[in-house]
Amino acid sequence: MKGKILVADDEVRIRKVITLLLKEEGYEVRAVENGQEVLDALPGFQPDVILLDQQMPVMTGVETLEEIKKIRPQQIVIFVTAFGSIALAVDAVKKGAYDFIEKPFDNDNLILKVNRAVEHCQLKGEIKTLKQQLDPSGIPIIGDNGGLKQVVAQVKRVAETNATVLIHGESGTGKELIARAVHTYSKRADGPFIAINCGAIPLSLMENELFGHEKGAFTDAKEAQPGVFERANGGTLFLDEIGELPMDAQVKLLRVLEERKITRIGGKKLIPVDVRIVAATNRKLEEEVERGNFRLDLLYRLNVFTITIPPLRERQKDIPALIDFFIAKHNKALHLSVQSITQAAMDRIQAYEWPGNVRDLENAIQSAMILASDGIIQSEHLPMRVKGYDQIEIKPTEKEGESIREINAQVEKEIILEALKKNNYNRTLTAEALHISRKTLFNKMKRYGLA
């Protein structure tokens, strides 16, 4: 289960559609028809995200939102409003809504916004949990690796300033967690933390995402919309995978960093923004500059203070502590009671190079915990890539080549499962990553019991 979603809408058809969409994405969903039922469901269900319609009996969406915030101030709410009622949605955001969706909604857009909101909720929870395991410096850390201690010291120092930060690290090393730590321990902690993945936004939408647009700027611009710079005003803007930013956007980003002002698409007014920039990349930007893919002057602007996160293969001694942390975390989240891991399984884990780093390790431990019915993680419970293909038991078969097909099926299932996890179980993104159609992906998921 990826998370819990509470859906509130007085239209039965809408409730059913949203419930089906989100259940297919792996969420646990509860649907209600009015604001009072939302408030009644909160204590027992404890949703990660609430989808809240505006037009409902008993109390409106805005009224319900106000009551929710009295009970659970940190609750993430996505406001759903009818076409042409953007003013209400903006008012809801001002009153604490995380985001809003306009009816009639696009299914993929709804799933994308829910995924982002749940990820935001879970990251907040992880940071809160990690704070309970802090070292005396007050910065979250798991392990005693010297390189990681240096990262913590750097976070402490730079958080006290307003300097732009560039974070280097391979995929899965925790770049966003470090960026959030910089924000959390800075003077901007009470301001917003807005994260954007520069590699996940289509080129045609990049400028709109960064700077927003004015009403009438293009055909579908029914209302003015702020970009991430305005939404992060007074706080921190995290530009993940900055190396993926297109050249045109690099030029405009450079200008904003120099002038600290933005102009919306279709607008003429310069809007001042007070934003701290934290960027991250898994690329060597100096090499990208030499290839002509990244502007040198932008690199100079971003590279004021650099933090490099060591990959997990350089932190082998930290793996046992990380495993203990993940077992405790997922015992609670998945209602399991795993107590330990065998030395043979630990040896397999430490022998693996973990190209996906800490995120990859967490996924592997979570998967192994589900299979460990006796509460002890054994070597055979580990994902195939970790335990090694020599662990596959080849059984004699009557038909020649059948065992090969079985192995191929196991490998294909493993690849699909890893791609689903990497893309937050979004089928559209997973299909694109695997270079197959969404229908083909669905059929394979059904065949392997992943649906």
Side-chain angles (χ1 to χ4, degrees):
M1 184 188 69
K2 292 172 62 177
K4 295 181 178 181
I5 313 295
L6 181 60
V7 179
D9 197 302
D10 62 333
E11 294 184 50
V12 177
R13 184 181 63 85
I14 297 295
R15 289 203 305 272
K16 287 183 177 180
V17 168
I18 295 177
T19 299
L20 180 61
L21 280 172
L22 295 179
K23 282 187 174 180
E24 284 186 352
E25 289 295 312
Y27 291 110
E28 180 180 347
V29 185
R30 180 177 296 183
V32 298
E33 64 178 355
N34 62 57
Q36 185 57 54
E37 290 184 4
V38 170
L39 301 179
D40 292 341
L42 270 181
F45 188 58
Q46 295 189 346
D48 296 299
V49 174
I50 299 174
L51 282 175
L52 192 63
D53 187 38
Q54 163 59 14
Q55 298 299 333
M56 295 187 296
V58 184
M59 62 177 74
T60 67
V62 171
E63 291 170 346
T64 307
L65 174 65
E66 291 173 341
E67 293 302 315
I68 290 171
K69 289 298 180 179
K70 291 177 184 177
I71 302 170
R72 300 182 69 181
Q74 302 303 316
Q75 176 66 56
I76 293 179
V77 177
I78 296 179
F79 203 73
V80 182
T81 184
F83 175 77
S85 301
I86 298 298
L88 276 173
V90 172
D91 183 49
V93 170
K94 290 179 180 177
K95 291 179 177 178
Y98 174 80
D99 202 347
F100 68 88
I101 297 171
E102 192 176 6
K103 286 184 179 179
F105 52 80
D106 175 78
N107 291 351
D108 285 341
N109 183 47
L110 182 142
I111 291 170
L112 179 63
K113 291 200 173 190
V114 169
N115 285 342
R116 285 177 178 173
V118 170
E119 183 180 6
H120 177 71
C121 176
Q122 291 173 346
L123 281 169
K124 285 172 65 178
E126 287 176 10
I127 291 174
K128 183 178 180 180
T129 302
L130 286 168
K131 284 180 181 178
Q132 297 170 0
Q133 302 185 6
L134 299 183
D135 66 352
S137 67
I139 304 295
I141 180 173
I142 297 177
D144 297 320
N145 175 268
L148 203 59
K149 284 186 176 180
Q150 183 180 355
V151 168
V152 171
Q154 289 175 324
V155 169
K156 281 181 61 181
R157 293 295 299 274
V158 78
E160 298 171 357
T161 73
N162 203 35
T164 300
V165 179
L166 180 62
I167 302 172
H168 282 280
E170 295 178 6
S171 178
T173 50
K175 295 188 289 295
E176 182 165 349
L177 194 62
I178 295 299
R180 288 180 180 274
V182 171
H183 172 74
T184 300
Y185 297 107
S186 73
K187 295 178 181 178
R188 295 174 174 266
D190 292 334
F193 178 91
I194 304 295
I196 176 175
N197 188 327
C198 299
I201 301 172
L203 177 61
S204 58
L205 298 178
M206 179 61 72
E207 187 177 350
N208 184 44
E209 186 74 17
L210 289 173
F211 310 120
H213 62 260
E214 296 290 356
K215 180 179 179 181
F218 44 85
T219 305
D220 295 328
K222 307 298 182 183
E223 299 287 342
Q225 179 73 40
V228 292
F229 272 94
E230 286 183 79
R231 285 159 48 200
N233 197 40
T236 303
L237 175 59
F238 176 51
L239 301 173
D240 197 8
E241 303 303 342
I242 190 70
E244 304 282 347
L245 199 65
M247 271 291 182
D248 288 348
Q250 289 181 34
V251 174
K252 294 179 179 179
L253 174 60
L254 177 64
R255 181 174 296 176
V256 175
L257 294 179
E258 291 173 343
E259 300 177 357
R260 298 290 168 175
K261 295 178 181 178
I262 63 103
T263 304
R264 292 179 179 174
I265 297 175
K268 297 180 180 179
K269 183 176 69 172
L270 287 172
I271 303 173
V273 287
D274 173 24
V275 174
R276 182 194 196 147
I277 301 295
V278 178
T281 181
N282 58 11
R283 296 186 178 189
K284 294 182 179 179
L285 294 184
E286 293 81 0
E287 294 179 3
E288 295 300 315
V289 170
E290 292 178 3
R291 295 189 185 104
N293 297 329
F294 203 82
R295 292 182 63 96
L296 181 60
D297 46 6
L298 179 56
L299 176 58
Y300 287 151
R301 282 284 180 180
L302 295 173
N303 203 17
V304 175
F305 189 91
T306 304
I307 297 175
T308 301
I309 307 175
L312 188 56
R313 62 181 173 273
E314 296 177 7
R315 300 172 49 198
Q316 291 289 329
K317 293 181 180 179
D318 292 344
I319 287 179
L322 286 165
I323 290 175
D324 288 343
F325 172 75
F326 293 140
I327 288 176
K329 172 184 175 181
H330 293 296
N331 269 338
K332 184 177 180 180
L334 301 176
H335 305 291
L336 298 173
S337 56
V338 174
Q339 287 88 38
S340 61
I341 179 170
T342 65
Q343 188 58 50
M346 182 67 76
D347 291 342
R348 286 277 178 181
I349 288 172
Q350 292 190 306
Y352 188 63
E353 290 203 349
W354 298 106
N357 291 291
V358 178
R359 185 190 300 127
D360 195 7
L361 173 64
E362 180 175 8
N363 289 341
I365 295 301
Q366 185 177 0
S367 174
M369 288 175 66
I370 294 170
L371 297 175
S373 56
D374 61 351
I376 300 175
I377 297 176
Q378 310 276 353
S379 296
E380 58 264 28
H381 299 145
L382 298 172
M384 198 180 306
R385 69 188 189 284
V386 180
K387 66 186 177 186
Y389 293 100
D390 59 310
Q391 297 294 298
I392 301 172
E393 182 182 357
I394 307 298
K395 299 179 180 179
T397 57
E398 295 180 1
K399 296 181 181 179
E400 183 180 357
E402 185 174 357
S403 59
I404 297 297
R405 286 196 296 272
E406 289 174 352
I407 294 173
N408 286 339
Q410 285 179 315
V411 173
E412 185 175 57
K413 178 180 177 181
E414 189 72 32
I415 290 171
I416 291 172
L417 185 58
E418 288 304 307
L420 283 165
K421 290 176 180 177
K422 185 176 181 181
N423 291 283
N424 294 320
Y425 293 87
N426 183 297
R427 292 183 184 178
T428 302
L429 295 178
T430 300
E432 290 175 358
L434 296 173
H435 302 289
I436 59 177
S437 70
R438 198 171 186 273
K439 183 178 180 181
T440 299
L441 174 63
F442 178 79
N443 290 337
K444 289 181 180 293
M445 288 174 64
K446 189 175 181 181
R447 182 191 312 162
Y448 298 133
L450 302 175

